[in-house]
Amino acid sequence: MSRLANTIVLFDVDGTLTKPRNNITDTFKEYLLALRKRVCLGVVGGSDLAKILEQLGGESAITNFDYLFSENGLNSFKDGKPIHTQSIKEFLGEQRLKEFINFVLHYIADLEIPIKRGTFIEFRNGMINVSPIGRNCSQGERDDFEKYDKEHKIRETMIAALKEKFPSIGLQYSIGGQISFDCFPIGWDKTYCLKLLPESEYKTIYFFGDKTYKGGNDYEISIDPRLTKSFTVTSPEDTLKFLKELFP
C-alpha cells in the first residue's frame, strides 16, 4: 500500500497521544506504526526531547515518526536526524532572562496555594516552563492542582501579572498540561514547526490536540491557515476514534 502523497498528520502529546505525563499504550503505539505505512506522521510537543521520548516509548520514538518537533519545533528531527535548533537565551539575553526568572520566583514564593513541591522553573532550549505547584509533585497532586486551578485560575492570573510586568519583552504565554504554562518568544508556539514542513511537499496537514481553546498551547496551530483540518480531542482514546474515521 502506497502512502498518501503530500499529507502529514501532526499530534500533540499530553492528552492526545498519552494521558498527561503518562506513557503511550502499546496498543496505540502499534496502531501508529501501522498508520505510518499509509501516511506521514509527526509529533509536536512543548516538552523537551527527553520527556517526549519517555512518554512515546523511549529512544525508538525518534524514528517511529517522520518528524519529531520537541519544544514546539525549536529542537526538530526528521527521520531520526536533527534538522533545526533555536535558543530562547540568545533571544532574550542574559540580563532580561535573569529579571524574568527573578520575578517568577518571587511571585511563586508569595503565592498562597494548598501545596508546593519543587522545580518551579524549567529552562528549556526554546522556552521557560513555569509551574506554580512545582514539577516534582505526584500524579495525585497534579490532578488535585488541575481541579484547583480551574476554580481559582492560578496560572491565568500569573500570566496576567507577567504581561503587566514585562509588556514589551516579546514573550507570549500558553497554558498546557495540568500544572504549568510555557513562556516563549512571540511566534514560537506550535506553528513554529510548520516552517519546517515545505509547502510544496505538504499540502494536506491534519492536527490533533486537546488544548485548542484560546490560551491553550494547541490554539495557534489549530487555527493556522495551512491546516487542512484540526481535531480537538479529550483523550488518547478520542484521538484513536477520530483517526479510524479519517483513515478507515
Side-chain angles (χ1 to χ4, degrees):
M1 181 184 295
S2 60
R3 286 175 124 195
L4 287 173
N6 306 116
T7 301
I8 186 169
V9 184
L10 296 174
F11 301 97
D12 167 51
V13 182
D14 272 357
T16 303
L17 293 181
T18 74
K19 293 180 180 179
R21 289 305 300 136
N22 277 241
N23 296 339
I24 192 169
T25 64
D26 289 339
T27 300
F28 202 177
K29 183 178 177 181
E30 289 171 9
Y31 173 83
L32 290 173
L33 288 172
L35 181 62
R36 191 181 173 201
K37 297 176 181 177
R38 300 175 57 190
V39 65
C40 184
L41 302 182
V43 170
V44 50
S47 295
D48 61 27
L49 179 63
K51 284 189 176 65
I52 291 178
L53 292 182
E54 177 188 346
Q55 288 183 256
L56 296 184
E59 292 292 330
S60 63
I62 204 167
T63 54
N64 286 344
F65 295 88
D66 297 272
Y67 286 90
L68 196 153
F69 301 111
S70 64
E71 301 183 51
N72 294 346
L74 300 169
N75 190 20
S76 297
F77 298 80
K78 180 180 181 182
D79 298 324
K81 298 177 181 178
I83 58 171
H84 180 79
T85 58
Q86 181 59 278
S87 168
I88 191 173
K89 184 172 71 173
E90 293 179 11
F91 175 84
L92 287 177
E94 200 61 57
Q95 183 60 34
R96 283 196 298 175
L97 182 61
K98 184 173 66 175
E99 291 171 2
F100 184 86
I101 291 174
N102 284 346
F103 180 84
V104 168
L105 291 173
H106 280 292
Y107 185 99
I108 293 175
D110 294 334
L111 189 61
E112 287 296 333
I113 55 177
I115 65 169
K116 294 178 185 176
R117 293 298 179 250
T119 310
F120 301 102
I121 292 179
E122 189 171 82
F123 185 81
R124 301 174 183 172
N125 188 57
M127 68 177 69
I128 300 166
N129 179 266
V130 177
S131 175
I133 184 178
R135 299 191 68 87
N136 292 350
C137 58
S138 68
Q139 185 59 54
E141 290 165 342
R142 281 173 170 268
D143 296 340
D144 290 342
F145 178 80
E146 183 178 30
K147 294 173 187 175
Y148 185 86
D149 186 53
K150 284 179 180 177
E151 180 181 354
H152 298 280
K153 302 188 183 304
I154 301 300
R155 290 182 288 180
E156 187 177 315
T157 302
M158 189 171 179
I159 287 172
L162 285 167
K163 287 180 177 179
E164 182 179 356
K165 177 66 176 179
F166 302 101
S168 46
I169 200 171
L171 295 182
Q172 66 185 88
Y173 309 89
S174 184
I175 294 174
Q178 294 178 290
I179 62 168
S180 66
F181 61 90
D182 296 328
C183 317
F184 48 87
I186 294 170
W188 288 20
D189 51 60
K190 287 184 179 178
T191 60
Y192 191 95
C193 77
L194 298 178
K195 303 173 185 178
L196 305 173
L197 297 175
E199 292 194 39
S200 59
E201 190 173 347
Y202 297 102
K203 301 185 182 300
T204 300
I205 302 175
Y206 300 107
F207 174 75
F208 288 78
D210 67 318
K211 288 184 169 56
T212 57
Y213 53 82
K214 193 166 186 178
N217 64 355
D218 298 320
Y219 174 72
E220 290 84 3
I221 191 171
S222 74
I223 62 169
D224 192 277
R226 275 198 68 188
L227 290 195
T228 304
K229 187 172 182 179
S230 174
F231 295 84
T232 301
V233 300
T234 59
S235 65
E237 293 76 18
D238 206 23
T239 304
L240 188 58
K241 177 177 71 77
F242 279 124
L243 283 171
K244 289 181 176 179
E245 292 172 0
L246 188 60
F247 303 103

